PDB file of all heavy atoms in Angstrom:
ATOM      1  N   GLY E   7      -2.933  17.386   3.245  1.00 95.00           N
ATOM      2  CA  GLY E   7      -2.277  18.459   3.982  1.00 95.00           C
ATOM      3  C   GLY E   7      -0.980  17.913   4.544  1.00 95.00           C
ATOM      4  O   GLY E   7      -0.121  17.444   3.804  1.00 95.00           O
ATOM      5  N   LEU E 153     -13.831  19.299   6.232  1.00 98.00           N
ATOM      6  CA  LEU E 153     -15.178  19.686   5.802  1.00 98.00           C
ATOM      7  C   LEU E 153     -15.713  18.597   4.889  1.00 98.00           C
ATOM      8  O   LEU E 153     -14.950  17.801   4.338  1.00 98.00           O
ATOM      9  CB  LEU E 153     -15.146  21.013   5.032  1.00 98.00           C
ATOM     10  CG  LEU E 153     -14.560  22.232   5.733  1.00 98.00           C
ATOM     11  CD1 LEU E 153     -14.490  23.408   4.756  1.00 98.00           C
ATOM     12  CD2 LEU E 153     -15.382  22.605   6.956  1.00 98.00           C
ATOM     13  N   ALA E 156     -18.649  20.814   1.164  1.00 98.00           N
ATOM     14  CA  ALA E 156     -18.674  22.281   1.223  1.00 98.00           C
ATOM     15  C   ALA E 156     -18.336  22.866  -0.140  1.00 98.00           C
ATOM     16  O   ALA E 156     -17.593  22.274  -0.929  1.00 98.00           O
ATOM     17  CB  ALA E 156     -17.678  22.781   2.263  1.00 98.00           C
ATOM     18  N   GLY E 157     -18.855  24.058  -0.421  1.00 98.00           N
ATOM     19  CA  GLY E 157     -18.556  24.758  -1.658  1.00 98.00           C
ATOM     20  C   GLY E 157     -17.252  25.528  -1.566  1.00 98.00           C
ATOM     21  O   GLY E 157     -16.675  25.715  -0.483  1.00 98.00           O
ATOM     22  N   ALA E 158     -16.775  26.011  -2.708  1.00 98.00           N
ATOM     23  CA  ALA E 158     -15.468  26.663  -2.785  1.00 98.00           C
ATOM     24  C   ALA E 158     -15.375  27.880  -1.862  1.00 98.00           C
ATOM     25  O   ALA E 158     -14.361  28.086  -1.192  1.00 98.00           O
ATOM     26  CB  ALA E 158     -15.183  27.070  -4.226  1.00 98.00           C
ATOM     27  N   ILE E 161     -15.055  26.821   1.773  1.00 98.00           N
ATOM     28  CA  ILE E 161     -13.719  26.253   2.010  1.00 98.00           C
ATOM     29  C   ILE E 161     -12.712  27.374   2.257  1.00 98.00           C
ATOM     30  O   ILE E 161     -11.903  27.314   3.185  1.00 98.00           O
ATOM     31  CB  ILE E 161     -13.286  25.384   0.824  1.00 98.00           C
ATOM     32  CG1 ILE E 161     -14.202  24.160   0.704  1.00 98.00           C
ATOM     33  CG2 ILE E 161     -11.834  24.941   0.967  1.00 98.00           C
ATOM     34  CD1 ILE E 161     -14.060  23.408  -0.602  1.00 98.00           C
ATOM     35  N   ARG E 162     -12.766  28.397   1.433  1.00 98.00           N
ATOM     36  CA  ARG E 162     -11.828  29.524   1.599  1.00 98.00           C
ATOM     37  C   ARG E 162     -12.037  30.210   2.951  1.00 98.00           C
ATOM     38  O   ARG E 162     -11.066  30.536   3.667  1.00 98.00           O
ATOM     39  CB  ARG E 162     -12.019  30.539   0.476  1.00 98.00           C
ATOM     40  CG  ARG E 162     -11.523  30.074  -0.887  1.00 98.00           C
ATOM     41  CD  ARG E 162     -11.599  31.227  -1.894  1.00 98.00           C
ATOM     42  NE  ARG E 162     -11.229  30.797  -3.229  1.00 98.00           N
ATOM     43  CZ  ARG E 162      -9.973  30.669  -3.659  1.00 98.00           C
ATOM     44  NH1 ARG E 162      -8.965  30.928  -2.829  1.00 98.00           N
ATOM     45  NH2 ARG E 162      -9.728  30.292  -4.898  1.00 98.00           N
ATOM     46  N   HIS E 165     -10.759  27.937   5.815  1.00 98.00           N
ATOM     47  CA  HIS E 165      -9.305  27.804   5.821  1.00 98.00           C
ATOM     48  C   HIS E 165      -8.631  29.077   6.331  1.00 98.00           C
ATOM     49  O   HIS E 165      -7.514  29.032   6.863  1.00 98.00           O
ATOM     50  CB  HIS E 165      -8.826  27.475   4.406  1.00 98.00           C
ATOM     51  CG  HIS E 165      -7.419  26.984   4.324  1.00 98.00           C
ATOM     52  ND1 HIS E 165      -7.024  25.756   4.810  1.00 98.00           N
ATOM     53  CD2 HIS E 165      -6.298  27.550   3.804  1.00 98.00           C
ATOM     54  CE1 HIS E 165      -5.727  25.584   4.579  1.00 98.00           C
ATOM     55  NE2 HIS E 165      -5.263  26.662   3.975  1.00 98.00           N
ATOM     56  N   VAL E 170      -7.499  23.860   7.005  1.00 98.00           N
ATOM     57  CA  VAL E 170      -8.341  22.687   6.757  1.00 98.00           C
ATOM     58  C   VAL E 170      -7.465  21.614   6.121  1.00 98.00           C
ATOM     59  O   VAL E 170      -6.757  21.880   5.146  1.00 98.00           O
ATOM     60  CB  VAL E 170      -9.528  23.042   5.835  1.00 98.00           C
ATOM     61  CG1 VAL E 170     -10.319  21.797   5.468  1.00 98.00           C
ATOM     62  CG2 VAL E 170     -10.428  24.074   6.514  1.00 98.00           C
ATOM     63  N   THR E 171      -7.498  20.424   6.662  1.00 98.00           N
ATOM     64  CA  THR E 171      -6.640  19.345   6.175  1.00 98.00           C
ATOM     65  C   THR E 171      -7.247  18.630   4.979  1.00 98.00           C
ATOM     66  O   THR E 171      -6.534  18.292   4.026  1.00 98.00           O
ATOM     67  CB  THR E 171      -6.381  18.329   7.302  1.00 98.00           C
ATOM     68  OG1 THR E 171      -5.616  18.977   8.328  1.00 98.00           O
ATOM     69  CG2 THR E 171      -5.616  17.118   6.805  1.00 98.00           C
ATOM     70  N   ALA E 172      -8.566  18.401   5.003  1.00 98.00           N
ATOM     71  CA  ALA E 172      -9.193  17.617   3.932  1.00 98.00           C
ATOM     72  C   ALA E 172     -10.645  18.001   3.743  1.00 98.00           C
ATOM     73  O   ALA E 172     -11.321  18.414   4.684  1.00 98.00           O
ATOM     74  CB  ALA E 172      -9.090  16.126   4.239  1.00 98.00           C
ATOM     75  N   LEU E 173     -11.082  17.845   2.520  1.00 98.00           N
ATOM     76  CA  LEU E 173     -12.502  17.925   2.179  1.00 98.00           C
ATOM     77  C   LEU E 173     -12.946  16.530   1.775  1.00 98.00           C
ATOM     78  O   LEU E 173     -12.270  15.863   0.989  1.00 98.00           O
ATOM     79  CB  LEU E 173     -12.748  18.880   1.015  1.00 98.00           C
ATOM     80  CG  LEU E 173     -14.212  18.903   0.543  1.00 98.00           C
ATOM     81  CD1 LEU E 173     -15.036  19.846   1.400  1.00 98.00           C
ATOM     82  CD2 LEU E 173     -14.326  19.291  -0.926  1.00 98.00           C
ATOM     83  N   GLN E 174     -14.074  16.102   2.308  1.00 98.00           N
ATOM     84  CA  GLN E 174     -14.660  14.831   1.881  1.00 98.00           C
ATOM     85  C   GLN E 174     -15.949  15.103   1.108  1.00 98.00           C
ATOM     86  O   GLN E 174     -16.836  15.788   1.598  1.00 98.00           O
ATOM     87  CB  GLN E 174     -14.974  13.931   3.082  1.00 98.00           C
ATOM     88  CG  GLN E 174     -15.553  12.591   2.672  1.00 98.00           C
ATOM     89  CD  GLN E 174     -15.835  11.666   3.837  1.00 98.00           C
ATOM     90  OE1 GLN E 174     -16.837  10.957   3.842  1.00 98.00           O
ATOM     91  NE2 GLN E 174     -14.957  11.648   4.828  1.00 98.00           N
ATOM     92  N   SER E 175     -16.000  14.597  -0.123  1.00 98.00           N
ATOM     93  CA  SER E 175     -17.197  14.734  -0.944  1.00 98.00           C
ATOM     94  C   SER E 175     -17.318  13.512  -1.841  1.00 98.00           C
ATOM     95  O   SER E 175     -16.359  12.751  -2.000  1.00 98.00           O
ATOM     96  CB  SER E 175     -17.143  16.006  -1.803  1.00 98.00           C
ATOM     97  OG  SER E 175     -17.232  17.171  -1.007  1.00 98.00           O
ATOM     98  N   PRO E 184     -16.949  17.649  -8.214  1.00 97.00           N
ATOM     99  CA  PRO E 184     -15.868  18.447  -7.609  1.00 97.00           C
ATOM    100  C   PRO E 184     -14.838  18.982  -8.595  1.00 97.00           C
ATOM    101  O   PRO E 184     -14.081  19.893  -8.251  1.00 97.00           O
ATOM    102  CB  PRO E 184     -15.205  17.451  -6.634  1.00 97.00           C
ATOM    103  CG  PRO E 184     -16.241  16.399  -6.382  1.00 97.00           C
ATOM    104  CD  PRO E 184     -16.986  16.279  -7.678  1.00 97.00           C
ATOM    105  N   ASP E 187     -14.996  23.267  -9.740  1.00 97.00           N
ATOM    106  CA  ASP E 187     -14.743  24.391  -8.842  1.00 97.00           C
ATOM    107  C   ASP E 187     -13.978  24.019  -7.574  1.00 97.00           C
ATOM    108  O   ASP E 187     -13.140  24.792  -7.102  1.00 97.00           O
ATOM    109  CB  ASP E 187     -16.074  25.043  -8.438  1.00 97.00           C
ATOM    110  CG  ASP E 187     -16.837  25.593  -9.629  1.00 97.00           C
ATOM    111  OD1 ASP E 187     -16.193  26.198 -10.501  1.00 97.00           O
ATOM    112  OD2 ASP E 187     -18.067  25.418  -9.680  1.00 97.00           O
ATOM    113  N   VAL E 188     -14.278  22.852  -7.016  1.00 98.00           N
ATOM    114  CA  VAL E 188     -13.747  22.523  -5.694  1.00 98.00           C
ATOM    115  C   VAL E 188     -12.297  22.063  -5.743  1.00 98.00           C
ATOM    116  O   VAL E 188     -11.456  22.551  -4.986  1.00 98.00           O
ATOM    117  CB  VAL E 188     -14.641  21.468  -5.015  1.00 98.00           C
ATOM    118  CG1 VAL E 188     -13.968  20.899  -3.774  1.00 98.00           C
ATOM    119  CG2 VAL E 188     -15.984  22.091  -4.646  1.00 98.00           C
ATOM    120  N   LEU E 189     -11.981  21.127  -6.618  1.00 98.00           N
ATOM    121  CA  LEU E 189     -10.609  20.611  -6.656  1.00 98.00           C
ATOM    122  C   LEU E 189      -9.573  21.708  -6.925  1.00 98.00           C
ATOM    123  O   LEU E 189      -8.513  21.719  -6.280  1.00 98.00           O
ATOM    124  CB  LEU E 189     -10.493  19.486  -7.684  1.00 98.00           C
ATOM    125  CG  LEU E 189     -10.828  18.083  -7.165  1.00 98.00           C
ATOM    126  CD1 LEU E 189     -10.863  17.070  -8.313  1.00 98.00           C
ATOM    127  CD2 LEU E 189      -9.847  17.629  -6.097  1.00 98.00           C
ATOM    128  N   PRO E 190      -9.820  22.640  -7.838  1.00 98.00           N
ATOM    129  CA  PRO E 190      -8.832  23.714  -8.019  1.00 98.00           C
ATOM    130  C   PRO E 190      -8.578  24.528  -6.754  1.00 98.00           C
ATOM    131  O   PRO E 190      -7.431  24.904  -6.470  1.00 98.00           O
ATOM    132  CB  PRO E 190      -9.452  24.575  -9.131  1.00 98.00           C
ATOM    133  CG  PRO E 190     -10.312  23.622  -9.899  1.00 98.00           C
ATOM    134  CD  PRO E 190     -10.886  22.712  -8.861  1.00 98.00           C
ATOM    135  N   VAL E 191      -9.618  24.808  -5.982  1.00 98.00           N
ATOM    136  CA  VAL E 191      -9.454  25.558  -4.740  1.00 98.00           C
ATOM    137  C   VAL E 191      -8.659  24.744  -3.723  1.00 98.00           C
ATOM    138  O   VAL E 191      -7.775  25.259  -3.034  1.00 98.00           O
ATOM    139  CB  VAL E 191     -10.822  25.965  -4.159  1.00 98.00           C
ATOM    140  CG1 VAL E 191     -10.676  26.515  -2.746  1.00 98.00           C
ATOM    141  CG2 VAL E 191     -11.486  26.999  -5.053  1.00 98.00           C
ATOM    142  N   LEU E 192      -8.972  23.453  -3.606  1.00 98.00           N
ATOM    143  CA  LEU E 192      -8.249  22.593  -2.668  1.00 98.00           C
ATOM    144  C   LEU E 192      -6.757  22.581  -2.997  1.00 98.00           C
ATOM    145  O   LEU E 192      -5.904  22.671  -2.100  1.00 98.00           O
ATOM    146  CB  LEU E 192      -8.805  21.171  -2.710  1.00 98.00           C
ATOM    147  CG  LEU E 192     -10.265  20.985  -2.298  1.00 98.00           C
ATOM    148  CD1 LEU E 192     -10.637  19.508  -2.377  1.00 98.00           C
ATOM    149  CD2 LEU E 192     -10.526  21.520  -0.893  1.00 98.00           C
ATOM    150  N   ARG E 193      -6.447  22.483  -4.277  1.00 98.00           N
ATOM    151  CA  ARG E 193      -5.040  22.422  -4.670  1.00 98.00           C
ATOM    152  C   ARG E 193      -4.337  23.758  -4.477  1.00 98.00           C
ATOM    153  O   ARG E 193      -3.155  23.804  -4.135  1.00 98.00           O
ATOM    154  CB  ARG E 193      -4.957  21.913  -6.112  1.00 98.00           C
ATOM    155  CG  ARG E 193      -5.239  20.418  -6.152  1.00 98.00           C
ATOM    156  CD  ARG E 193      -5.484  19.828  -7.493  1.00 98.00           C
ATOM    157  NE  ARG E 193      -5.592  18.364  -7.369  1.00 98.00           N
ATOM    158  CZ  ARG E 193      -6.157  17.575  -8.259  1.00 98.00           C
ATOM    159  NH1 ARG E 193      -6.683  18.084  -9.372  1.00 98.00           N
ATOM    160  NH2 ARG E 193      -6.210  16.273  -8.045  1.00 98.00           N
ATOM    161  N   GLU E 194      -5.052  24.823  -4.665  1.00 98.00           N
ATOM    162  CA  GLU E 194      -4.480  26.147  -4.397  1.00 98.00           C
ATOM    163  C   GLU E 194      -4.122  26.300  -2.927  1.00 98.00           C
ATOM    164  O   GLU E 194      -3.068  26.870  -2.583  1.00 98.00           O
ATOM    165  CB  GLU E 194      -5.493  27.225  -4.807  1.00 98.00           C
ATOM    166  CG  GLU E 194      -5.075  28.637  -4.455  1.00 98.00           C
ATOM    167  CD  GLU E 194      -6.220  29.629  -4.596  1.00 98.00           C
ATOM    168  OE1 GLU E 194      -7.158  29.373  -5.381  1.00 98.00           O
ATOM    169  OE2 GLU E 194      -6.175  30.663  -3.900  1.00 98.00           O
ATOM    170  N   LEU E 195      -4.973  25.760  -2.046  1.00 98.00           N
ATOM    171  CA  LEU E 195      -4.800  25.945  -0.611  1.00 98.00           C
ATOM    172  C   LEU E 195      -4.027  24.811   0.058  1.00 98.00           C
ATOM    173  O   LEU E 195      -3.720  24.895   1.253  1.00 98.00           O
ATOM    174  CB  LEU E 195      -6.171  26.087   0.065  1.00 98.00           C
ATOM    175  CG  LEU E 195      -7.037  27.266  -0.399  1.00 98.00           C
ATOM    176  CD1 LEU E 195      -8.401  27.234   0.264  1.00 98.00           C
ATOM    177  CD2 LEU E 195      -6.335  28.593  -0.128  1.00 98.00           C
ATOM    178  N   GLY E 196      -3.719  23.751  -0.693  1.00 98.00           N
ATOM    179  CA  GLY E 196      -2.987  22.624  -0.112  1.00 98.00           C
ATOM    180  C   GLY E 196      -3.835  21.717   0.748  1.00 98.00           C
ATOM    181  O   GLY E 196      -3.351  21.107   1.706  1.00 98.00           O
ATOM    182  N   ILE E 197      -5.108  21.598   0.402  1.00 98.00           N
ATOM    183  CA  ILE E 197      -6.062  20.760   1.136  1.00 98.00           C
ATOM    184  C   ILE E 197      -6.260  19.449   0.375  1.00 98.00           C
ATOM    185  O   ILE E 197      -6.440  19.456  -0.840  1.00 98.00           O
ATOM    186  CB  ILE E 197      -7.413  21.486   1.293  1.00 98.00           C
ATOM    187  CG1 ILE E 197      -7.221  22.798   2.067  1.00 98.00           C
ATOM    188  CG2 ILE E 197      -8.442  20.593   1.978  1.00 98.00           C
ATOM    189  CD1 ILE E 197      -8.457  23.696   2.074  1.00 98.00           C
ATOM    190  N   GLY E 198      -6.244  18.335   1.083  1.00 98.00           N
ATOM    191  CA  GLY E 198      -6.442  17.041   0.443  1.00 98.00           C
ATOM    192  C   GLY E 198      -7.913  16.742   0.183  1.00 98.00           C
ATOM    193  O   GLY E 198      -8.809  17.431   0.693  1.00 98.00           O
ATOM    194  N   PHE E 199      -8.155  15.712  -0.629  1.00 98.00           N
ATOM    195  CA  PHE E 199      -9.523  15.334  -0.999  1.00 98.00           C
ATOM    196  C   PHE E 199      -9.760  13.869  -0.646  1.00 98.00           C
ATOM    197  O   PHE E 199      -8.979  12.994  -1.047  1.00 98.00           O
ATOM    198  CB  PHE E 199      -9.753  15.536  -2.499  1.00 98.00           C
ATOM    199  CG  PHE E 199     -11.189  15.377  -2.927  1.00 98.00           C
ATOM    200  CD1 PHE E 199     -11.993  16.487  -3.100  1.00 98.00           C
ATOM    201  CD2 PHE E 199     -11.734  14.122  -3.141  1.00 98.00           C
ATOM    202  CE1 PHE E 199     -13.323  16.350  -3.484  1.00 98.00           C
ATOM    203  CE2 PHE E 199     -13.060  13.976  -3.525  1.00 98.00           C
ATOM    204  CZ  PHE E 199     -13.859  15.098  -3.698  1.00 98.00           C
ATOM    205  N   VAL E 200     -10.830  13.606   0.084  1.00 98.00           N
ATOM    206  CA  VAL E 200     -11.238  12.244   0.434  1.00 98.00           C
ATOM    207  C   VAL E 200     -12.546  11.958  -0.300  1.00 98.00           C
ATOM    208  O   VAL E 200     -13.539  12.674  -0.113  1.00 98.00           O
ATOM    209  CB  VAL E 200     -11.415  12.081   1.950  1.00 98.00           C
ATOM    210  CG1 VAL E 200     -11.946  10.683   2.283  1.00 98.00           C
ATOM    211  CG2 VAL E 200     -10.088  12.331   2.661  1.00 98.00           C
ATOM    212  N   ASP E 272      -3.316  13.644  -4.349  1.00 97.00           N
ATOM    213  CA  ASP E 272      -3.923  14.283  -3.183  1.00 97.00           C
ATOM    214  C   ASP E 272      -5.354  13.798  -2.983  1.00 97.00           C
ATOM    215  O   ASP E 272      -6.110  14.402  -2.222  1.00 97.00           O
ATOM    216  CB  ASP E 272      -3.903  15.804  -3.354  1.00 97.00           C
ATOM    217  CG  ASP E 272      -4.530  16.266  -4.672  1.00 97.00           C
ATOM    218  OD1 ASP E 272      -4.882  15.410  -5.519  1.00 97.00           O
ATOM    219  OD2 ASP E 272      -4.651  17.490  -4.874  1.00 97.00           O
ATOM    220  N   ILE E 273      -5.712  12.707  -3.654  1.00 98.00           N
ATOM    221  CA  ILE E 273      -7.065  12.157  -3.578  1.00 98.00           C
ATOM    222  C   ILE E 273      -7.007  10.767  -2.951  1.00 98.00           C
ATOM    223  O   ILE E 273      -6.238   9.904  -3.393  1.00 98.00           O
ATOM    224  CB  ILE E 273      -7.712  12.071  -4.974  1.00 98.00           C
ATOM    225  CG1 ILE E 273      -7.886  13.473  -5.558  1.00 98.00           C
ATOM    226  CG2 ILE E 273      -9.053  11.352  -4.908  1.00 98.00           C
ATOM    227  CD1 ILE E 273      -8.349  13.489  -7.001  1.00 98.00           C
TER     228      ILE E 273
END
Side-chain angles (χ1 to χ4, degrees):
L153 303 174
I161 295 167
R162 288 187 184 279
H165 194 69
V170 174
T171 294
L173 175 84
Q174 181 178 141
S175 292
D187 299 318
V188 168
L189 273 172
V191 169
L192 298 181
R193 286 167 174 160
E194 174 193 335
L195 300 176
I197 300 171
F199 189 98
V200 176
D272 53 354
I273 296 173

